[in-house]
Amino acid sequence: MRLSPARLLPAECNAYYLHGEDEDAIFEAAEALLAEGAEDAVRIRVDINELARVESESRNRGLFGSSVCFALVRNAQSANPKQSEHLLKLATSVSTTNRLIICAPGVDWKKAMHKKMKAEKAVAECEFSRPDEAAFARWLEAEIRKSGLKVAPDAVVWMSERLSGMRLAARQMIQRLSWYDSGEGRELGLDVVAELLGERAPGALEEWCHAVAMRSPEALRLVRQLLKEQQVAEVQMISWLGTRMQQLLMYRWYQSQRDRNALMAAKVFGDARSKVPDESRAWKGSELALAVQRIIRAEKLVKGATIEDRPVVIERLTLDLVAAGRLQP
């Protein structure tokens, strides 16, 4: 029996098979199914090699009769043929008072167990596809509203870009914002949100990335400001710049393929959508490829492949990308 994620609760079935690409959503739904109903139920979480424990707990007879057992199997996608057979047997023989929740994130659709679980009428099957960027953004906005927080629109967009698809990380971030706000109800801007997510000076970083992408000499002033005045980590700077240059490269490639929406295909979102088309005109395609290679080399140096000062590595990288004739194969 196939169910949509929205129809899983209230729990009306005894056996559930949850699968798909969205691992966070799968386990979130599984925990909700495990928690619902029968307050006195024994609730257990097991791996695929612990199925005997499910049988033992579900057949346990206490002093006052049989106990109710709700069991969650966390990694059914890893089952070998023998374990798959055992799991199918359990799923088709759950008593009316018990509940079995089987999670198989990322399971191979060709796997025999997967096909049999989907075909089994006694098992409620539900697929969790990875949400696209727009769907995740809507989900994040709804979660922020439910929390009672006031987050600036540009900060919400930034969170959505950085956490896309990672529901658990997003929930943890919302909790962190709640602790920071302490019920004051003030609007939380991009600087606060970025700091709590481990990113320093997002506004200044974006300005620097844009200046580099436009090959503007202003990038040299901005890089010194980031390194000396704001003390932004070199690894963070490499990450931001690498993402932007990769977006430029992919945007140019999709343009060459005459894609109807090259920006979306290249996964360019937020403020960058209004900047990348102009930035791309400052580069030849071959130069963009060399720029990405140059950033990869600088990343290795920043992460310990040299005794050279890391700020010097970043400053030289900026100069190589901005100044004419400095990019070499």
Side-chain angles (χ1 to χ4, degrees):
M1 177 174 59
R2 186 175 178 82
L3 295 177
S4 68
R7 290 183 55 206
L8 284 175
L9 293 174
E12 297 176 347
C13 303
N14 299 110
Y16 291 86
Y17 177 60
L18 313 182
H19 63 95
E21 296 179 342
D22 195 342
E23 184 171 339
D24 284 350
I26 287 172
F27 287 113
E28 185 177 291
E31 288 292 338
L33 287 169
L34 187 68
E36 185 173 273
E39 293 183 6
D40 59 342
V42 174
R43 289 173 167 83
I44 60 174
R45 299 169 182 82
V46 300
D47 290 332
I48 195 63
N49 59 348
E50 301 174 294
L51 295 181
R53 186 180 167 203
V54 176
E55 284 189 313
S56 174
E57 291 289 353
S58 62
R59 294 174 181 172
N60 181 45
R61 296 189 64 84
L63 185 61
F64 301 103
S66 300
S67 60
V68 177
C69 178
F70 293 172
L72 190 161
V73 180
R74 291 177 285 223
N75 58 339
Q77 74 279 6
S78 302
N80 60 35
K82 187 175 180 179
Q83 291 166 339
S84 296
E85 197 175 314
H86 192 178
L87 192 58
L88 281 161
K89 183 180 178 182
L90 286 174
T92 55
S93 60
V94 184
S95 73
T96 56
T97 57
N98 293 339
R99 187 177 302 154
L100 178 64
I101 306 146
I102 302 165
C103 298
V107 66
D108 185 348
W109 65 272
K110 297 178 183 178
K111 194 162 186 166
M113 180 209 71
H114 177 64
K115 293 178 180 178
K116 290 177 181 177
M117 282 289 184
K118 291 184 69 175
E120 181 54 60
K121 294 181 180 179
V123 177
E125 171 250 331
C126 183
E127 181 176 3
F128 292 80
S129 302
R130 185 170 295 281
D132 59 24
E133 287 80 1
F136 182 79
R138 290 193 296 271
W139 174 86
L140 180 61
E141 288 174 2
E143 290 298 308
I144 290 173
R145 281 197 302 272
K146 282 196 293 185
S147 73
L149 291 169
K150 293 180 181 177
V151 181
D154 62 336
V156 176
V157 171
W158 188 86
M159 283 177 66
S160 179
E161 291 177 13
R162 290 296 182 278
L163 299 172
S164 186
M166 298 186 289
R167 289 172 179 252
L168 179 59
R171 288 190 186 283
Q172 291 172 340
M173 182 59 188
I174 291 171
Q175 181 62 65
R176 205 174 302 161
L177 289 170
S178 296
W179 289 334
Y180 180 89
D181 181 61
S182 298
E184 293 183 15
R186 54 183 170 173
E187 184 174 85
L188 303 174
L190 179 56
D191 285 343
V192 169
V193 171
E195 285 276 5
L196 292 177
L197 199 59
E199 302 273 10
R200 298 197 65 181
L205 271 169
E206 170 57 31
E207 188 179 0
W208 170 64
C209 288
H210 178 57
V212 172
M214 291 297 292
R215 311 191 85 170
S216 167
E218 177 69 3
L220 299 171
R221 181 188 69 80
L222 293 171
V223 73
R224 296 188 185 100
Q225 179 180 312
L226 284 166
L227 290 165
K228 296 176 182 177
E229 295 178 21
Q230 294 173 290
Q231 297 185 337
V232 177
E234 293 85 0
V235 172
Q236 184 181 340
M237 295 175 69
I238 284 281
S239 174
W240 276 64
L241 186 60
T243 298
R244 184 58 144 265
M245 299 308 293
Q246 188 69 40
Q247 287 174 335
L248 283 174
L249 181 63
M250 295 307 297
Y251 172 74
R252 284 289 293 272
W253 187 85
Y254 282 110
Q255 265 196 325
S256 71
Q257 301 301 305
R258 302 186 183 280
D259 192 285
R260 291 185 178 181
N261 193 334
L263 284 169
M264 182 173 291
K267 300 188 184 302
V268 181
F269 298 96
D271 290 342
R273 291 179 67 88
S274 62
K275 299 174 183 177
V276 162
D278 286 338
E279 293 169 352
S280 71
R281 287 190 278 272
W283 303 82
K284 296 177 183 177
S286 58
E287 288 177 325
L288 279 171
L290 288 173
V292 171
Q293 292 176 13
R294 179 68 183 83
I295 290 170
I296 291 171
R297 290 202 302 272
E299 182 179 17
K300 291 178 180 177
L301 296 176
V302 163
K303 290 182 176 178
T306 181
I307 58 172
E308 190 173 19
D309 285 345
R310 288 179 294 182
V312 173
V313 173
I314 299 295
E315 288 185 7
R316 188 169 60 244
L317 169 65
T318 304
L319 181 60
D320 288 347
L321 296 178
V322 168
R326 286 184 64 94
L327 275 177
Q328 301 296 328

